[in-house]
């Protein structure tokens, strides 16, 4: 397993929706709304296994001292393998 991290918001809505669905976070939202939310996030770091989006962390901050992590998602088949830890450390 060769996991790479990317620090940008440019992830397709299909990839995002698939990730959110894989962890059961798709209730009441569609792929376009998820895309807008990610695009409007202050910081986004994604985890990839080749071309498959396997994890994501996003935060919101005031650019001075305060920040919150809004969500941390890891596909179930990649959980308990250090992906979430890598995302937290990178954030």
């Amino acid at each position: 397993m060769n996991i790479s991290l990317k620090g940008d918001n440019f992830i397709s809505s299909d990839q995002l929706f698939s990730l959110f669905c894989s962890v059961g976070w798709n209730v009441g939202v569609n792929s376009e709304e998820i895309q807008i939310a990610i695009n409007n996030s202050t910081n986004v770091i994604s985890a990839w296994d080749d071309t498959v989006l396997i994890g994501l962390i996003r935060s919101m901050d005031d650019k001075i001292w305060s920040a919150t992590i809004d969500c941390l998602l890891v596909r179930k088949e990649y959980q308990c393998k250090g992906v979430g830890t890598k995302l937290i450390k990178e954030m």
Side-chain angles (χ1 to χ4, degrees):
M1 179 171 63
N2 187 19
I3 305 303
S4 61
L5 301 180
K6 296 180 183 176
D8 62 47
N9 300 22
F10 303 107
I11 305 167
S12 79
S13 59
D14 290 340
Q15 291 169 319
L16 287 167
F17 192 68
S18 175
L19 175 63
F20 274 72
C21 288
S22 78
V23 296
W25 282 23
N26 60 328
V27 179
V29 295
N30 60 43
S31 60
E32 292 81 23
E33 291 169 322
I34 293 171
Q35 181 77 57
I36 291 167
I38 296 302
N39 289 346
N40 288 333
S41 299
T42 307
N43 300 296
V44 176
I45 300 171
S46 54
W48 300 81
D49 186 357
D50 194 24
T51 61
V52 177
L53 177 64
I54 62 164
L56 180 131
I57 189 170
R58 75 179 188 141
S59 72
M60 305 296 279
D61 68 57
D62 61 17
K63 304 284 189 196
I64 298 173
W65 70 82
S66 181
T68 55
I69 293 174
D70 179 67
C71 63
L72 171 62
L73 303 128
V74 177
R75 287 187 181 276
K76 290 189 185 218
E77 59 269 27
Y78 289 90
Q79 291 177 4
C80 300
K81 297 183 180 186
V83 177
T85 301
K86 283 178 93 168
L87 287 166
I88 291 275
K89 285 181 179 179
E90 187 69 20
M91 181 58 71

